[in-house]
Amino acid sequence: MEWVVERLRLAINAAQLGFWDWDVAQQRQEWSPQAEQILGYAPGTVDHTYENWVKRLHPEDRERVESQIQATLQTYCALNLEYRIILPNGDCRWIEAQGRMILDGDEHPTRLVGLLQDITDRKRMVKSLQSSEARFRAVFEQAAVGIARVATDGRWIQVNQTLCDFLGYAPEELLQHTVQSVTMPEDVAGDEQHYQQLLGGEVDCFRREKRYRHKEGHPVWGFVTVSKECDPDGNFLCFIVVVENIQARKQIEQELHQRAQELTTLNMVLVQTTTMLDKRNSELDQFAYVASHDLKAPLRAIANLSEWIEEDLSGQLPAENERQLQLLRSRVLRMERLIDGLLAYSRVGRRDRLIESVDVGQLLDEVIDSLAPPPSFKLVVSSALPVFDTQPTALRQVFANLIGNAVKHHHREEGCITITVADYETAYEFAVSDDGPGIDPRYHDKVFVIFQTL
């Protein structure tokens, strides 16, 4: 019998269990050394009394524990307690106590015996697991992407609210469906192939874009990541499915694709239009050349004939007739200039013009000299004319037209023409003004219309 007791003692010590025995009738207690250590007492340093045990109880647990002990004493039921004790150094430890009533022959309680065990580490582990589970649940429910656990047959086991919102279902509604039933039929086969590869161990996870069927019937695009959930032994439990809503991205891609097609079509039209314009410009240049040649030829003949007549009848023509012949040649010259103007206008915007440094003062001297205004006209030119890069031919033509018109359309034989410039840092503003009658404001809208004389 002694060897049985010894083995029992060794087993209790190995399990780090403390033994206690409470003589209810005599109100005496016996604690094993292990029980004393669990309660924070050095073995043999304290009386084994109910009061000393109560001193160790956490204040928040004392009322509950004493109530359960009294219930056991009155009903003889088994005692199962979990409570906290406060050690002398201030540490808090969790204790699990189990006890049984021992009755005498008259069914009266004589002793309450049981075991103590320090379960602080276990409590910490449980609390850590609970915290981890709470964090997982918070991440699961509050994630910005849809998350679900799915069985091998496609049944939804657990779904979060984001996924439900994405598919348009309430959680309890979605749990009545399968992955296949909320997937567009065209994408079901592709899903099945990937799931089989995952189950067969060919891949650890798979990702793909697919279309789900919204509760209202229209397709919605999702980017799906699927992996396996296994137990600690590596046995498959279910699939973990993460769904990102890419509906907006797909709509943008579709719009961009449509715009790309439109641009391709537009480019083809532009190429065709450019080809046609090149052809028309070539035809226009050819026409301009022919027109210049064919129109100028008879004009030159007319001018030559007038000169021959004047030479043949030299000294015989009245002064009025000589003036008319000269007027005829001046009209021919004017006609040639008009033809040259038409040709230059036809090439506007189609010919690159040379950009070079231009001394505006020198350019104006050349223009005025070529125009040869009558001596009765006074020209006042600003002395602060700039030198800048521009198209000299175009600028010369502008000044020639403005100065020539100021002389030509003046209402008197004499006049004053003033040429000034204003520097605006990013541009120069030239002004050609005269003391003539000007143009009636009601005709100002026609000033820049080609070949208009006002």
Side-chain angles (χ1 to χ4, degrees), residues 189-199 203 206-208:
D191 259 4
E192 184 63 25
Q193 179 182 358
H194 284 90
Y195 277 106
Q196 290 303 319
Q197 290 176 341
L198 192 57
L199 283 174
V203 294
F206 72 83
R207 299 176 179 87
R208 69 185 299 249

Side-chain angles (χ1 to χ4, degrees), residues 130-147:
Q130 290 174 341
S131 298
S132 297
E133 183 179 355
R135 287 194 297 270
F136 169 77
R137 186 171 296 278
V139 171
F140 184 88
E141 292 297 337
Q142 299 174 18
V145 294
I147 305 177

Side-chain angles (χ1 to χ4, degrees), residues 90-237:
D91 288 348
C92 179
R93 309 290 293 178
W94 274 96
I95 305 299
E96 181 181 37
Q98 296 181 351
R100 294 289 184 275
M101 289 296 303
I102 298 177
L103 306 178
D104 59 16
D106 296 329
E107 298 295 321
H108 294 140
T110 59
R111 294 160 58 203
L112 181 61
V113 298
L115 299 172
L116 293 176
Q117 184 178 19
D118 187 333
I119 60 170
T120 302
D121 292 340
R122 189 176 76 190
K123 278 288 188 178
R124 288 173 179 169
M125 185 179 298
V126 171
K127 185 176 181 180
S128 177
L129 289 174
Q130 290 174 341
S131 298
S132 297
E133 183 179 355
R135 287 194 297 270
F136 169 77
R137 186 171 296 278
V139 171
F140 184 88
E141 292 297 337
Q142 299 174 18
V145 294
I147 305 177
R149 300 172 69 239
V150 179
T152 53
D153 60 359
R155 288 180 296 105
W156 301 102
I157 300 174
Q158 187 179 4
V159 295
N160 72 348
Q161 189 60 49
T162 304
L163 181 63
C164 294
D165 294 341
F166 174 57
L167 298 176
Y169 291 91
E172 57 274 11
E173 291 178 321
L174 188 56
L175 292 174
Q176 303 302 315
H177 289 267
T178 63
V179 173
Q180 295 87 339
S181 66
V182 295
T183 298
M184 295 300 290
E186 299 85 354
D187 292 348
V188 171
D191 259 4
E192 184 63 25
Q193 179 182 358
H194 284 90
Y195 277 106
Q196 290 303 319
Q197 290 176 341
L198 192 57
L199 283 174
E202 300 177 38
V203 294
D204 294 329
C205 69
F206 72 83
R207 299 176 179 87
R208 69 185 299 249
E209 293 180 357
K210 60 173 287 187
R211 291 164 297 175
Y212 286 95
R213 189 199 301 272
H214 193 273
K215 182 181 179 180
E216 296 177 356
H218 61 271
V220 287
W221 278 95
F223 183 77
V224 185
T225 302
V226 182
S227 58
K228 293 188 294 186
E229 179 185 346
C230 299
D231 63 17
D233 296 327
N235 298 314
F236 174 79
L237 296 177

Side-chain angles (χ1 to χ4, degrees), residues 256-266:
L256 288 175
H257 180 68
Q258 183 177 350
R259 295 296 178 271
Q261 290 181 326
E262 292 174 355
L263 285 174
T264 301
T265 303
L266 182 58

